[in-house]
């Protein structure tokens, strides 16, 4: 049995490297944006702060809350499962519009 080789000509546009359509000031800013989107997706299932923080591989609780949780809550991308008790030890966060479990 002989090997079959198939050559498919491609236009230059098909082989070009595609960059993100959103312009970011730096690669770090792009990486952070992707990570935030990953965090939001991670919260499709309600998660406690500690789980979210471990997912992001961050140690400082206060910094994590100020830099990630608070802005995501304000932007309406995540919500609290116990909004009447924001400091509850049972507080979880979930992606907005995700199914309740």
């Amino acid at each position: 049995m002989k090997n079959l080789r198939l050559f498919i000509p491609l236009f230059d546009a098909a082989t070009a490297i595609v960059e993100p359509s959103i312009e970011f000031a730096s690669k770090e800013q792009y990486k952070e944006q992707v990570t935030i989107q990953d965090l939001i997706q991670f919260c499709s299932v309600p998660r406690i702060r500690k789980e979210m923080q471990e997912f992001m591989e961050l140690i400082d609780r206060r910094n994590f809350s100020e830099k990630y949780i608070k802005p995501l809550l304000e932007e309406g991308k995540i919500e609290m499962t116990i909004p009447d008790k924001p400091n509850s030890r049972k507080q979880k966060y979930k992606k907005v519009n995700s199914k309740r479990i």
Side-chain angles (χ1 to χ4, degrees), residues 23-65:
E23 290 188 31
F24 293 96
S26 66
K27 287 185 179 182
E28 291 79 21
Q29 188 180 8
Y30 173 72
K31 183 179 177 186
E32 182 177 313
Q33 182 68 25
V34 171
T35 305
I36 290 171
Q37 292 302 322
D38 293 339
L39 177 62
I40 294 167
Q41 189 59 37
F42 181 69
C43 292
S44 292
V45 174
R47 309 282 184 171
I48 61 173
R49 180 210 38 86
K50 186 175 182 182
E51 289 176 306
M52 296 166 66
Q53 198 169 327
E54 287 172 357
F55 175 78
M56 299 288 285
E57 299 177 358
L58 297 172
I59 297 170
D60 186 11
R61 177 182 180 165
R62 179 176 288 154
N63 183 44
F64 179 76
S65 294

Side-chain angles (χ1 to χ4, degrees), residues 12-23:
D12 289 339
T15 58
I17 296 173
V18 179
E19 293 293 324
S21 59
I22 301 171
E23 290 188 31

Side-chain angles (χ1 to χ4, degrees), residues 61 80 82 84-93:
R61 177 182 180 165
M80 295 180 198
I82 313 170
D84 297 338
K85 298 181 180 180
N87 297 321
S88 171
R89 64 182 179 85
K90 296 180 181 181
Q91 185 63 262
K92 293 184 180 183
Y93 302 90

